[in-house]
């Protein structure tokens, strides 16, 4: 079966104003709205579109994390994923460990594509897709803004600093998504009801033979340095005078 | 003593200044032996530039026709093959480095520190998370190589010197994969300064309303010798090219002067400009969040203010 694997991560919603705990041990996440990482939502949307175009038959959403993550998996199922895998673990999962777990799932599921968000908006690491591609020894096309399947390969347009780069990569492959790839669909109420009946398997990481280790320890969290308060000017002339006096123009 | 390997970024003929910034970051590690490696079809000119960067001891070149342009699938296994002597391997936090370095790290079974913004010690770094709304201090476990990307907006470029480091050609023994092929690159050619290195940046948001209206910013930018940037809303709406986006998912920049016209100041945008020396915001909404970070704020209609600015800047 032609399958697409879409890993998703539960993160603090992008509209939440982040506050660092006063004791510097982390950021406040209690009682804060959680969502699917926006880039992962785009990844899922792309996988669904590829399936709808007839290039794949099944979309499998997967997440690694604690029990609460099932909310996001249910949302993924409501969006249209056919089934979901939940690798249950409460420890901190670094990108390398996530990639190792995903590789084990790939060995079982044998997808033609793994589509991931280019970064998670909590740790902003931007690593997991590339690491997975390396461990899987398959091509990667990161920061995708256009994906076209053509037989045994796929053409991906990538948003890079200098402009738009197009690569052709052989399947199976890893793609990571940028924001302009698509606009994810809205979930409708009947789909939420249907999603409750779709299969969601819980997997123990130990059964996959991956040990969860932490190689980079976070020792302290702090708010960013605040910029000093500026001044309001009343008109363009005053602005130009101010900038001239500072030698900025 | 640290042994640092820095992967040079370039466009096939010239060294990208992001590389100098990685070297500057490496200076902060303490006593270090710094090597820059240039993967290119014709590395000589690029290597000569790298050899002049302050405190670079060695420049290695890997010449191969497959390295035009650079593909991570080709570069990563070669970096991994030459990695063993090094305690640190750095690349810039540009789309080039972000694409490449995690592939290198995974091949070495090492974790990666993304976006180093400050060096606390040789194994301890500060990096931004949550779109820069928190700064975390991280420590890499002992023994493992430190694989990292360097947030270029946080470091000055290392100086260039008269003396030149030794340049050596090497060829790591790796069979390059055939699964990844370059098709094309479409770059908006522009005579304006590069957004990532420009001293001045003029930037526009959704308020510009059309690609035609964006022209008024180009005209102002040319007057100032500035690069032109845009918010995500302006890029999504097609007013500006994707490589002009500033912010969490666009470019992180640190110009001397940043002029924001009709940009509300969403956190994802502010992430990209926090290190600008001076921020000027022009917005018709006095409550716009951009004013909270602006050094100079002006409430008003940009379509009136931009031409006024141009006229005043022309007058002496
Ligand atoms: C995961 C994620 C990543 C993102 N990454 C980025 C990113 O990298 N960069 C980025 O910019 N955004 C990013 N965004 C989007 C961000 O949240 C905002 O939606 C976006 O920055 C808004 O752009 P804007 O300020 O141009 O538009 P708006 O928020 O619509 O603001 C327009 C402003 O123009 C003002 N205005 C209107 N008319 C005039 C006039 N005539 N004269 C003067 N002022 C006027 C209005 O008062 C308003 O403040 C991201 C969002 C998400 C979810």
């Amino acid at each position: 079966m032609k399958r697409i694997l879409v890993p998703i991560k539960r993160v603090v919603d992008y509209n939440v104003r982040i506050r660092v705990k006063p004791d510097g041990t982390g950021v406040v996440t209690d009682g804060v709205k959680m969502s699917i990482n926006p880039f992962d939502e785009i990844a899922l949307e792309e996988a669904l579109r590829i399936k709808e175009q007839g290039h794949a038959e099944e979309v499998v959403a997967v997440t690694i994390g604690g029990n609460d993550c099932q909310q996001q998996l249910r949302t993924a199922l409501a969006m249209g994923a056919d089934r979901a895998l939940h690798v249950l673990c409460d420890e901190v999962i670094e990108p390398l460990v996530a990639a190792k777990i995903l590789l084990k799932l790939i060995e079982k599921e044998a997808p033609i594509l793994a589509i991931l968000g280019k970064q998670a908006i909590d740790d902003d690491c931007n690593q997991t897709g590339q690491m997975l591609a390396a461990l899987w020894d398959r091509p990667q096309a990161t920061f995708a803004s256009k994906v076209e399947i053509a037989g045994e390969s796929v053409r991906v347009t990538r948003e890079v600093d200098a402009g738009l780069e197009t690569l052709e990569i052989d399947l199976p492959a890893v793609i990571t998504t940028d924001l302009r790839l698509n606009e994810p669909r809205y979930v409708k109420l009947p789909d939420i009801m249907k999603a409750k009946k779709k299969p969601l398997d819980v997997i123990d990481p130990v059964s996959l033979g991956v040990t969860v280790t932490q190689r980079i320890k976070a020792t302290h969290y702090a708010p960013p340095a605040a910029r000093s308060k500026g001044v309001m000017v009343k008109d363009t002339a005053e602005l130009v005078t101010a900038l001239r006096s500072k030698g900025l123009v | 003593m640290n042994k640092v390997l820095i992967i040079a970024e370039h466009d096939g003929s010239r060294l990208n200044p992001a590389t100098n910034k990685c070297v500057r970051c490496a200076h902060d590690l303490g006593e270090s032996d710094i090597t820059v490696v240039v993967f290119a079809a014709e590395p000589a000119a690029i290597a000569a530039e790298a050899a002049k960067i302050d405190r670079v001891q060695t420049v290695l070149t890997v010449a191969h026709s497959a390295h035009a342009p650079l593909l991570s699938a080709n570069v990563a296994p070669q970096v991994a093959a030459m990695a063993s002597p090094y305690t640190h391997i750095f690349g810039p936090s540009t789309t080039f480095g972000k694409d490449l370095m995690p592939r290198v790290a995974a091949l070495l079974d090492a974790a990666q520190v993304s976006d180093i913004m400050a060096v606390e010690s040789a194994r301890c770094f500060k990096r931004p998370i949550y779109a820069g709304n928190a700064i975390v201090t991280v420590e890499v476990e002992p023994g493992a190589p430190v694989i990292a990307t360097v947030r270029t907006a946080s470091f000055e470029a290392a100086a260039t010197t008269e003396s030149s480091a030794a340049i050596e050609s090497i060829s790591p023994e790796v069979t390059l994969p055939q699964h990844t092929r370059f098709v094309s690159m479409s770059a908006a050619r522009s005579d304006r300064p590069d957004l990532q290195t420009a001293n001045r940046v003029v930037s526009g948001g959704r308020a510009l309303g059309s690609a035609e209206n964006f022209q008024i910013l180009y005209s102002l930018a040319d007057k100032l010798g500035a690069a032109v940037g845009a918010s995500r809303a302006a890029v999504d709406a097609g007013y500006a090219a994707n490589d002009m986006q500033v912010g969490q998912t666009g470019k992180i920049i640190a110009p001397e002067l940043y002029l924001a016209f009709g940009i509300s100041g969403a956190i994802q945008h502010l992430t990209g400009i926090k290190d600008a020396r001076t921020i000027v915001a022009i917005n018709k909404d006095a409550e716009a969040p951009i004013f909270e970070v602006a050094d100079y704020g002006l409430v008003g209609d940009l379509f009136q203010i931009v031409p006024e600015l141009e006229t005043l800047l022309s007058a002496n």
Side-chain angles (χ1 to χ4, degrees):
Chain A
M1 173 137 47
K2 282 190 175 174
R3 191 170 281 144
I4 303 179
L5 195 73
V6 182
I8 62 172
K9 186 176 184 185
R10 172 186 163 93
V11 297
V12 174
D13 187 83
Y14 78 96
N15 278 313
V16 171
R17 227 172 219 265
I18 297 300
R19 281 180 301 124
V20 173
K21 290 182 190 163
D23 63 1
T25 56
V27 305
V28 178
T29 52
D30 286 348
V32 156
K33 184 179 176 204
M34 304 295 284
S35 300
I36 299 183
N37 177 41
F39 293 99
D40 304 349
E41 225 179 339
I42 293 168
L44 179 55
E45 176 64 36
E46 197 62 20
L48 295 173
R49 288 183 191 188
I50 292 171
K51 181 184 157 188
E52 285 158 6
Q53 289 157 9
H55 297 299
E57 291 144 293
E58 189 183 49
V59 174
V60 181
V62 43
T63 199
I64 308 165
N67 271 317
D68 293 342
C69 296
Q70 291 199 2
Q71 284 168 18
Q72 279 65 42
L73 278 181
R74 287 291 169 199
T75 308
L77 291 169
M79 268 180 78
D82 297 291
R83 57 191 175 87
L85 303 173
H86 178 196
V87 180
L88 180 63
C89 82
D90 289 307
E91 290 104 314
V92 177
I93 301 291
E94 289 178 355
L96 182 64
V97 174
K100 287 180 177 177
I101 290 174
L102 293 172
L103 180 69
K104 291 294 177 191
L105 298 178
I106 280 177
E107 286 166 1
K108 285 201 177 128
E109 302 282 347
I112 54 162
L113 276 175
I115 311 183
L116 297 81
K118 74 166 177 180
Q119 73 195 72
I121 61 165
D122 51 3
D123 61 26
D124 282 333
C125 273
N126 198 331
Q127 300 176 5
T128 308
Q130 297 88 311
M131 287 181 161
L132 175 61
L135 298 177
W136 192 12
D137 197 15
R138 293 305 307 165
Q140 69 189 42
T142 52
F143 327 143
S145 67
K146 192 171 174 200
V147 173
E148 295 163 285
I149 309 269
E152 295 304 301
S153 62
V154 53
R155 272 195 180 216
V156 181
T157 302
R158 311 177 51 228
E159 297 208 13
V160 295
D161 290 336
L164 295 169
E165 182 188 69
T166 304
L167 295 182
E168 187 181 71
I169 56 176
D170 292 338
L171 297 174
V174 174
I175 293 174
T176 78
T177 62
D178 218 317
L179 287 173
R180 270 173 286 278
L181 180 57
N182 61 50
E183 255 190 65
R185 63 196 66 189
Y186 285 104
V187 173
K188 296 185 220 79
L189 195 59
D191 296 329
I192 296 173
M193 302 313 291
K194 259 193 273 170
K196 291 193 175 138
K197 296 202 189 75
K198 289 185 179 175
L200 190 163
D201 292 333
V202 179
I203 299 169
D204 177 354
V206 177
S207 77
L208 299 172
V210 178
T211 20
V212 178
T213 51
Q214 215 185 326
R215 302 186 170 184
I216 296 181
K217 295 235 155 56
T219 55
H220 185 71
Y221 293 79
R227 291 185 70 95
S228 51
K229 187 92 191 100
V231 295
M232 297 302 288
V233 294
K234 66 175 192 310
D235 58 20
T236 316
E238 193 183 329
L239 177 60
V240 171
T241 309
L243 295 179
R244 282 223 166 105
S245 73
K246 293 254 165 151
L248 288 163
V249 293
Chain B
M1 168 124 113
N2 307 302
K3 269 185 82 67
V4 188
L5 180 68
I6 291 166
I7 320 299
E9 175 165 1
H10 59 82
D11 64 2
S13 53
R14 303 231 35 200
L15 189 68
N16 187 305
T19 308
N20 302 51
K21 295 185 170 198
C22 291
V23 174
R24 181 62 192 79
C25 174
H27 289 176
D28 289 350
L29 296 170
E31 205 190 328
S32 303
D33 184 334
I34 302 173
T35 300
V36 174
V37 58
V38 180
F39 295 89
E42 290 171 30
I46 305 158
E49 275 190 86
K52 294 221 171 294
I53 306 175
D54 188 26
R55 290 171 59 186
V56 169
Q57 266 97 342
T58 315
V59 175
L60 300 174
T61 62
V62 184
H64 196 297
S65 58
H67 292 322
L70 293 177
L71 297 172
S72 295
N74 291 337
V75 178
Q78 296 197 308
V79 176
M82 63 186 287
S84 60
Y86 300 97
T87 57
H88 296 70
I89 305 180
F90 286 179
S93 237
T94 54
T95 50
F96 164 73
K98 287 174 177 174
D99 186 58
L100 171 66
M101 298 310 289
R103 195 160 178 125
V104 171
L107 293 176
L108 297 172
D109 193 29
Q112 175 182 299
V113 180
S114 292
D115 305 317
I116 292 179
M117 60 189 295
V119 175
E120 300 291 291
S121 74
R123 311 194 73 82
C124 184
F125 308 93
K126 286 192 171 153
R127 60 175 300 263
I129 54 174
Y130 290 96
N133 287 293
I135 308 299
V136 62
T137 306
V138 296
E139 217 173 288
V140 182
E141 67 175 354
V146 178
I147 316 292
T149 59
V150 174
R151 184 176 181 273
T152 50
S154 299
F155 296 88
E156 306 273 323
T160 48
T161 57
E162 278 310 305
S163 61
S164 196
I167 300 176
E168 238 175 86
S169 146
I170 58 163
S171 38
E173 299 250 334
V174 172
T175 322
L176 298 184
Q178 302 297 314
H179 54 48
T180 304
R181 294 170 293 276
F182 173 79
V183 177
S184 63
M185 174 78 194
S186 87
R189 282 265 151 254
S190 149
D191 300 332
R192 294 191 182 81
D194 174 50
L195 181 55
Q196 266 165 319
T197 49
N199 274 326
R200 297 170 182 161
V201 174
V202 170
S203 204
R206 194 197 307 273
L208 268 296
S210 70
E212 294 75 62
N213 289 347
F214 232 84
Q215 295 305 322
I216 63 171
L217 296 188
Y218 289 113
S219 171
L220 177 65
D222 290 344
K223 190 122 283 165
L224 288 165
V228 180
S231 72
R232 175 185 170 194
V235 174
D236 283 0
Y239 309 161
N242 76 290
D243 53 7
M244 291 164 64
Q245 181 171 315
V246 172
Q248 181 187 19
T249 46
K251 290 179 176 144
I252 311 278
I253 56 174
E256 291 294 313
L257 179 64
Y258 186 78
L259 294 148
F261 295 94
I263 292 177
S264 60
I267 50 171
Q268 295 88 0
H269 187 80
L270 300 184
T271 306
I273 59 170
K274 274 190 180 136
D275 294 297
R277 189 66 56 85
T278 301
I279 297 175
V280 176
I282 284 90
N283 196 303
K284 68 176 185 191
D285 174 9
E287 303 298 317
I290 186 100
F291 288 125
E292 288 165 32
V293 301
D295 299 278
Y296 298 102
L298 175 54
V299 178
D301 183 353
L302 74 94
F303 293 106
Q304 182 198 328
I305 291 166
V306 172
E308 280 180 12
L309 266 174
E310 241 198 279
T311 313
L312 286 167
L313 290 169
S314 307
N316 281 311

